[in-house]
Amino acid sequence: MKWERIPVGPIQANAYILSHDDGTCVIFDPGGEGDKIVRHIEEQGLTPLAILLTHAHFDHIGGINEVRKKWELPIYIHENEKEWLTDPALNGSAYFGIGQVVVHHEPTCLRGEQTLQIGDFAFELLETPGHSPGSISYYCKEIEAVFSGDVLFLGSIGRTDLPGGNHEQLLRSIHDKLLTLPEETVVLSGHGRETTIGAEMDTNPFLHGF
C-alpha cells in the first residue's frame, strides 16, 4: 500500500489517497477541489471504495459532493458529527466567507473503537475528541501510519477554540490514544507535513511532560 497527500481547498487541508496493490483506494477528508481529487484518482487508474472522514469541519468535507458525482461511495464519520455534514453553523463554513458547505448524502456512522474493514484495507478506529467532539484517528498497522486529522501536527496540536473544542480533552486523546502507538508510526495530519509519534514525543512543545 502507499499513501499520497493532496492539499485542497481554501486553507489547504490535506486529503489523502491510500491505495492498495490491487488498484483499490480509500479517500480521507476530501476537503475541497473534488474535481482535483477525482482527476488524480483517474490518472492513477484507481478504484475508490469509500470516503473516510476524521471529522466534519468544512475544510475536510467540502469536496465530498463533487467526488460522489463521479462515484457513489459510502461516507464514514463518527456519529457525533453526522449533523455537521448538513449544518454550516456546525461545520464552520457559515463563518469563513467561503460559501456554505452542505453534504447531500447520508453517511455511515461510526461509534466506539473497533476495526474497520473496507476491501483489503483494515483500520483501528481511535476516538480522539478535543479538536471536535467526533474526531477519529485511523491507524493502519500495515503501513505503520495514523490518519489523525486535526488532532496532532508536526510540532503542534489541533485548535480547540471552535464550537465543540476542548483543550484538556484533546491532550488526553493525544496522550491516551496516539502516543501509545509505536514511536515509528507516521502521523498523517490534516494540515502540513507528516511527522512520527516518536518525533512529537521528543520535540512537540505542546506535549511537554508526556
Side-chain angles (χ1 to χ4, degrees), residues 32-94:
E33 298 180 87
D35 56 340
K36 178 179 177 180
I37 296 171
V38 168
R39 186 166 60 250
H40 179 84
I41 291 172
E42 290 184 317
E43 288 173 352
Q44 299 298 314
L46 299 173
T47 301
L49 301 181
I51 294 169
L52 306 180
L53 300 178
T54 61
H55 64 296
H57 282 144
F58 71 92
D59 55 323
H60 293 259
I61 66 173
I64 291 176
N65 292 331
E66 290 174 278
V67 172
R68 287 197 90 256
K69 283 182 183 179
K70 180 65 178 180
W71 303 289
E72 294 185 2
L73 304 175
I75 303 164
Y76 291 86
I77 190 171
H78 194 282
E79 65 175 5
N80 286 350
E81 294 184 19
K82 176 185 177 181
E83 295 181 0
W84 293 36
L85 295 175
T86 56
D87 189 335
L90 290 174
N91 66 46
S93 59

Side-chain angles (χ1 to χ4, degrees), residues 38 45 68 77 98 165 175 184-185 189 197 202 206:
V38 168
R68 287 197 90 256
I77 190 171
I98 60 163
H175 179 262
E184 63 272 18
T185 302
S189 304
I197 293 296
D202 291 341
F206 296 92

Side-chain angles (χ1 to χ4, degrees), residues 57 96 130-132 150-151 153 157-162 165-166 170:
H57 282 144
F96 285 85
H131 173 67
S132 67
D150 288 358
V151 174
F153 301 109
I157 60 175
R159 62 187 295 180
T160 54
D161 59 336
L162 299 172
N166 184 307
L170 176 65

